[in-house]
Every structure is written in C-alpha cells, then in structure tokens.
Amino acid sequence: MFLFLASVSLIALAFILYFILREAVPVFRGATIQELLGPKWRPTYEAAPRYGILPMIGGTLLVTIGSMALAIPLGLAAATFIAEMAPGWLKDIAKTALELLASIPSVVYGFFGLMILSPYIRDSLGLLTGQTALTASLLLAVMALPTIASLAEDALTAVPRSYREASAAMGATHWETTWRVTIPSAFSGLIGAVILGMGRSVGETMAVLMVAGNSPQLTFSFLKSIRTLTSGIALDIAETPSGTTHFHALFFMGVVLLVITLAMNWIAEWFRGRLAKGHLKR
Amino acid sequence: MVTPVSPIAQPAAHDVKSQKVCRLDEVTRAWIKKNIESEIIIEAENLDFYYGKVQALRDVSMCIPIDGVTAVMGPSGCGKSTFLRTLNRMYELTPGAHAQGRVSFLGQDLLKADPAAIRHHIGMVFQRPNPFPKSIYENVAYGLRIEGVRRRSALSDSVEESLRHAGLWTEVKDRLRQSAFGLSGGQQQRLCVARAIAVRPKVLLMDEPCSSLDPKASARIEDLARELSDELTVIIVTHNLQQAARVSDNVAVFMAGGELAEFGTTRQVFDDPQDPRVADYLRGRFG
C-alpha cells in the first residue's frame, strides 16, 4: 500500500516524460536538431518555416538571471531580518504577509505588471514599449521573493538554539552569531529556498507572457522584448494544428524546459555538497 | 576544635522570617579572605531573578573566590543554573528573564556591562556538548575569529594550545579539519572546553557539564576542571554530590525557591552543614 503511494508520484513523472517525449520526437521528421537549436523562430511562415528555439532559451535564461539577481539577495536579506532581528509581532505579520504574497495567482501579478510596472518602465527609461525582459525580470523577482524569503526564514529558524547559545557565550554579538553560525548552519536550507525560487522564475508562464512582449528574438539586452520557453508554448499551443512540425516543436520546447529544470536541480545539489564540504575545510 | 563557621550560612538558619540569606558586609568579606585565603573574583549582592513573574533567585549574596573550583549544588529547580547564567548574562537569551541586584566582577557591575564583553572574560560550557557544525579547528578558533584575529599562525598556535589544555590534542591532531560532529560525546564536551578557554577567559562556567556523559568521560571532565582551576576560576553547577565533593574547593548550596542556603569550603559544608535543610539534602543523597 505504502509502496503504491510512494510509486504514484514516480509513475506520474514517468507518464509525463513519456507523453511529452512521444509528442516531441516526431519533430525530427520536419526539422533537424541544428534547425531546432537555431536562432530563428518562424513556424508560421509557410514559404520557409524556421523552428529555432534558441531565442526562447535565451529569453528564459535572461529573465531568470535578471530576476534572481534581485530576488536572491533581497529574499535572503528579508529572511535574515525576519528570523534574526525582527521583534515577535513584526515577525508574525511579515511571515503571514510573505505567505499571502506567495499564494497570489500569477495572472494577478501579470495584471499588475501590465498596468503599472510596464508603463512605468517605458516612461522612466524612454522606451517605445514597456514590455521588456527587464519588466519580466522585475515582476518575476517580486513573485519569487516571497518563496525565497519564506523558505529561507524557515531554514534559519530551524537552526538549533544550542548553536546560538554557544556562540553568544563566546562573546559573539547577535550579528556575529547570525553571520558566522546561523547562516552557515542553515546553508543547505537556504540553497533549497533559492532553488525553489528559481524554479518559480523559470516555470512562470502567465505573468511573463503578459509583460515580456513575446517577440522571439535572440538578445542579451534587458531593454528588449523577449519570449520565454513557457510563454512560447502557451502562446502557440491553442492555435497550432496537432501533428504539424510546429506542434511537435512546442513539445520539444517542453523537453528543453524539463532539461533546464533538472540541470538546475543537479547543479544545486552539487553546489550544496561542495559548499558543505568546503565550509568545513575553510 | 570547632570548625570555622561561615557567617553566610548562619542568618539563613536563624533569620527565617525575613528570608534574607545574608548581607555582604565587611565581616563576610574578611571571613572569606581568612578562611579561603583568596581574592574574590565575583560577588553577588542581593541578587533577585525572575522569569516573568516567577522568582528564581531570592536575595542571593555570595562571593566567589578567585582560586579553585566552586561548585553550585542544590535540588532540581533551585535556581543553580539560573545563578550561573546570571554570571555571564546568558539569561538574556530567554525572553522575560531579568535580574535585580548587583553582581560585581573584578569591581565592575556585571548586570550593567556589555554582555558580549563580559562573555569574553567569562566562558561557558553547557549541559550538552554543543559544538558548531564546523571543523574541530574552526570550533576552537571561533572565539579568536570573533575577536578579529586573522593571522594563521596565531590561530593555529592557539588552537593547538587550547586543545592540549583540554586534553584532546593527541586524539584530534590528525583530523583538525574534520567535522566536530564526528567526535564522541566526551570528546565533544572537551572540545567545547577548548573552545571556551581559547580566548583565555578569567572564569569558566560549567553547567552540569557531565550530565550527558558516561562515567569515564565524566571523570575526564572532572579532572579537566581541576587542572584548569590552576589558571582560571571554575564555577561548576552539579546535582551530583559525589562530583561536587571530588571536584570542588568551595560549595554553594541553593534550596528550593532560589535561596542560597549555605556557602563554605567543600569539606566544611559536607562535614558539618549549618543549615538543617542542607544537612537533610546531603544526607538524603548519601543515604
């Protein structure tokens, strides 16, 4: 019985993989791997369709890097503040607020981004459109922040009291204890928080679709419009006849997305193991 | 010949109504000087302690001599650990706890000083070994790093010296970079001692340091407490009477309600307790 329950998630994962791969593989009937990883996405241009998904991979990476550059430092700082410095009543309020923020549907965030953030960026930076990678990054940072802060706060709070006592008894100030004992002890939990936040950033579809502008161009500029893998799939899937190369290419994008997510997890695991050891060696 | 009687003990026996154990006056001070032949390092005067509204120490006045090991004994819940935690202000980590009165340490009032500064001079070893999740080396070097010492040679020298002092060096010298969690309970506790003495404190507080250790490891900690008392003042809380008898030179006995019932040299308190409650307490345990 328990074995069955435990296997359910594994079976579900296997089925997802199977169906995505089943729909993704036929793409090679219409395009080579070089074409798929090319820089041009023009699936509906009948004379010479192109199925290069590189712009979408680039877009996903760009907004992920952008949002994490903001959300990781801010989220960890917020978590440290709530866990270590805030007085009890403020801790309760902040924690509740964070959990509330984390549960707001992404389309609501998207709406906020579209109506407020995007025009603001357009006007303040003097752009033609406010629908840019920067807008998406900022919005994703706001969305990932509660996840990171809330989980990181849990990790910090879980550090045993005896460590803090030992440090305080050595004459360390509260801040020295936080920096030298609490944070290093919570390290693997903090990495976990960051990874989940990053996962939210990579996987977010709706909010990004609403503010990123969605032009499939390969760019490294935050001030240009981009399309991510997720919103790319969501945009096309409803109006693409099933069985076409275009349709299968969307599934191929799904496979790439999966690979990116898995790679991220593996890198995090490796990083965590290495740093845990490195921390002892130092 | 009559054993010299601690004047600290007397009022408790006779002046029950006012619940005043003693007032530190010149007589007391002179008594300690004469009978213990030592300077006084810590002196508590009319110390009251509260956890919220619950009183844990009641008008405690006592002097702790600079030499030797002072044991703090008493039944559970008598406030002995609380008293110890007052001396390095560790009670401040417990919300709602506060102390009233005066505790002077080498002339300055502990209760008004900067707690972090105080804890540099008054180290502590806890009931359960609590090494950091760091290497053995980093555990011992922690206090020095807090003080801002960066020179590698200074750190390594101090780590080696402290570990030798704690009698742990030969056991760990080949694995200084490994996690402290790989050590046995007794070794971890000695590591905590090494960590505490690395910053050269003047006083080492030990809060039932053997309560989670087996007899052999306990004996090593007791020996260590004795050895260390050559260089610093050791104050050890214990509920183990035999341990107190073995380790200490002076004994303070607290009674339920957080009252100091008796203070004197170990021999004197064990052989001829003045307070009947202390006599009962000692007899009950020795049976």
Side-chain angles (χ1 to χ4, degrees), chain A residues 160-170 172-174 177, chain B residues 49 51 85 88-98 115-116 119 124 126:
Chain A
R161 184 185 155 84
S162 68
Y163 295 175
R164 298 165 206 256
E165 278 196 336
S167 174
M170 292 300 299
T173 59
H174 187 69
T177 300
Chain B
F49 191 95
Y51 289 111
R85 282 167 180 257
N88 66 346
R89 301 268 294 274
M90 281 301 284
Y91 68 84
E92 286 177 2
L93 270 60
T94 313
H98 69 282
R119 292 171 193 148
M124 188 166 193
F126 294 80

Side-chain angles (χ1 to χ4, degrees), chain A residues 5-274:
Chain A
L5 287 174
S7 359
V8 164
S9 61
L10 217 65
I11 292 167
L13 185 70
F15 267 94
I16 290 172
L17 267 175
Y18 169 70
F19 283 108
I20 290 186
L21 282 175
R22 198 184 69 173
E23 293 300 329
V25 167
V27 75
F28 294 112
R29 284 203 296 258
T32 64
I33 189 84
Q34 282 91 347
E35 277 169 348
L36 280 169
L37 295 177
K40 284 265 187 302
W41 175 257
R42 236 168 26 195
T44 48
Y45 182 51
E46 274 169 34
R50 291 278 185 281
Y51 301 105
I53 64 166
L54 199 59
M56 269 84 89
I57 297 177
T60 291
L61 293 180
L62 195 67
V63 295
T64 304
I65 291 168
S67 63
M68 286 300 109
L70 279 169
I72 291 174
L74 282 178
L76 295 183
T80 309
F81 173 76
I82 296 170
E84 299 296 324
M85 287 162 220
W89 58 272
L90 185 59
K91 189 181 281 197
D92 293 344
I93 295 176
K95 193 74 176 141
T96 317
L98 279 182
E99 273 151 19
L100 221 85
L101 277 176
S103 63
I104 292 179
S106 58
V107 68
V108 176
Y109 276 108
F111 200 58
F112 162 79
L114 192 64
M115 301 307 291
I116 295 165
L117 198 59
S118 171
Y120 176 76
I121 284 180
R122 181 192 59 209
D123 296 343
S124 59
L125 295 179
L127 303 172
L128 288 174
T129 166
Q131 304 205 339
T132 62
L134 178 67
T135 322
S137 296
L138 285 175
L139 195 64
L140 282 175
V142 172
M143 294 173 72
L145 194 83
T147 309
I148 294 180
S150 180
L151 289 167
E153 198 268 343
D154 289 342
L156 289 172
T157 309
V159 172
R161 184 185 155 84
S162 68
Y163 295 175
R164 298 165 206 256
E165 278 196 336
S167 174
M170 292 300 299
T173 59
H174 187 69
W175 173 242
E176 285 165 339
T177 300
T178 302
W179 185 245
R180 289 172 182 269
V181 175
T182 314
I183 290 177
S185 306
F187 200 80
S188 61
L190 296 181
I191 292 280
V194 166
I195 292 305
L196 276 172
M198 218 191 261
R200 174 135 206 213
S201 209
V202 171
E204 180 49 48
T205 309
M206 202 57 212
V208 177
L209 189 145
M210 289 167 80
V211 301
N214 302 318
S215 48
Q217 54 179 330
L218 188 58
T219 174
F220 296 103
S221 164
F222 277 102
L223 300 181
K224 288 195 177 138
S225 160
I226 50 93
R227 186 187 291 197
T228 63
L229 285 167
T230 47
S231 47
I233 296 172
L235 274 168
D236 290 6
I237 196 75
E239 43 205 63
T240 307
S242 89
T244 59
T245 306
H246 184 184
F247 180 84
H248 293 305
L250 294 180
F251 276 89
F252 182 71
M253 279 159 68
V255 173
V256 172
L257 197 59
L258 250 163
V259 169
I260 290 179
T261 323
L262 285 178
M264 228 168 60
N265 271 317
W266 280 327
I267 289 170
E269 277 306 319
W270 174 81
F271 194 59
R272 172 153 49 177
R274 219 179 98 92

Side-chain angles (χ1 to χ4, degrees), chain B residues 116-154:
Chain B
I118 287 299
R119 292 171 193 148
H120 279 294
H121 296 298
I122 305 184
M124 188 166 193
V125 174
F126 294 80
Q127 268 187 31
R128 294 185 160 277
N130 56 354
F132 298 124
K134 297 171 184 279
S135 67
I136 293 169
Y137 182 94
E138 279 308 319
N139 263 281
V140 183
Y142 185 76
L144 291 168
R145 289 204 191 275
I146 293 291
E147 284 179 0
V149 177
R150 278 161 195 270
R151 264 199 19 254
R152 199 168 280 244
S153 63

